[in-house]
Amino acid sequence: MKEVKIETRLEVYDKLEELPQSIQDLMKAAIEARDTAYAPYSKFNVGAAILLDNNEIIIGSNQENASYPSGLCAERTAIYYAGAKYPEAKMLTMALTASSKNQVTDKPIPPCGACRQAIAEYEVKQEYPIQIYFMGAKGKVVCSNSLSNLLPLVFENSVL
Ligand code: THU
């Protein structure tokens, strides 16, 4: 038996203002997108903004459904739209923010497992890392320089 230790690396910033202006602007787009969430059931609004290598910014927000599993997270709403609208573009950076009507979300909120898998697909496809910044409604911001930091042992198409 051999034990394998997996390490990951994240950057943690105390506040958004510590980041370069371009990242602050992308996060502002995510914050605006958060207000477009349709989340009457969870009251948990998530906004996503993706910067592409053609300089376009694609946004998304969570869209819920009375049949709960039919809803979709903000990250996948954004990433699938980016893939549909600009199939040739590389996704460079993703900014994520979440707020709740039930409590103050002052901790960084990472993408859920299903969204990590969806983002991983595009990182593998474009052979270029997708940088991910995530935060709550305020407070610390976490940066992962690649989706792979958030999803070790990713399931990807080379095994098919
Ligand atoms: N949600 C997202 O939009 N992204 C995530 O990564 C986690 C969860 C949404 C789904 C649902 O509308 C609400 O947040 C509560 O789970």
Side-chain angles (χ1 to χ4, degrees):
M1 192 278 269
K2 187 173 136 200
E3 194 177 86
V4 178
K5 191 171 165 190
I6 299 174
E7 287 190 341
T8 195
R9 192 187 155 276
L10 299 170
E11 294 165 11
V12 182
Y13 297 87
D14 280 336
K15 51 182 191 305
L16 187 57
E17 292 69 30
E18 276 183 26
L19 288 153
Q21 192 60 48
S22 59
I23 303 299
Q24 291 188 42
D25 291 347
L26 193 64
M27 188 59 84
K28 275 178 201 137
I31 291 167
E32 278 175 33
R34 207 177 65 199
D35 289 338
T36 70
Y38 173 63
Y41 306 106
S42 71
K43 316 254 186 258
F44 190 77
N45 288 16
V46 185
I50 305 173
L51 174 67
L52 306 179
D53 69 349
N54 61 10
N55 276 326
E56 292 287 335
I57 290 178
I58 299 292
I59 59 105
S61 58
N62 52 327
Q63 301 294 317
E64 297 186 348
N65 192 280
S67 171
Y68 292 1
S70 299
L72 196 63
C73 291
E75 295 88 331
R76 278 176 285 165
T77 304
I79 209 160
Y80 291 149
Y81 183 52
K85 181 141 185 168
Y86 297 109
E88 306 306 329
K90 277 196 175 70
M91 303 179 193
L92 303 179
T93 313
M94 192 166 198
L96 308 171
T97 172
S99 67
S100 166
K101 296 216 162 79
N102 300 325
Q103 57 176 311
V104 181
T105 49
D106 53 4
K107 291 189 182 66
I109 297 176
C112 77
C115 287
R116 293 180 206 194
Q117 181 66 35
I119 300 165
E121 182 73 23
Y122 291 91
E123 190 165 276
V124 170
K125 172 179 173 253
Q126 69 185 26
E127 298 178 326
Y128 194 84
I130 302 176
Q131 210 182 26
I132 302 170
Y133 289 86
F134 56 90
M135 65 182 297
K138 59 178 189 171
K140 292 189 190 330
V141 184
V142 174
C143 170
S144 170
N145 277 321
S146 160
L147 183 277
S148 59
N149 292 332
L150 298 177
L151 189 61
L153 305 182
V154 64
F155 180 81
E156 49 137 314
N157 58 20
S158 64
V159 300
L160 298 178

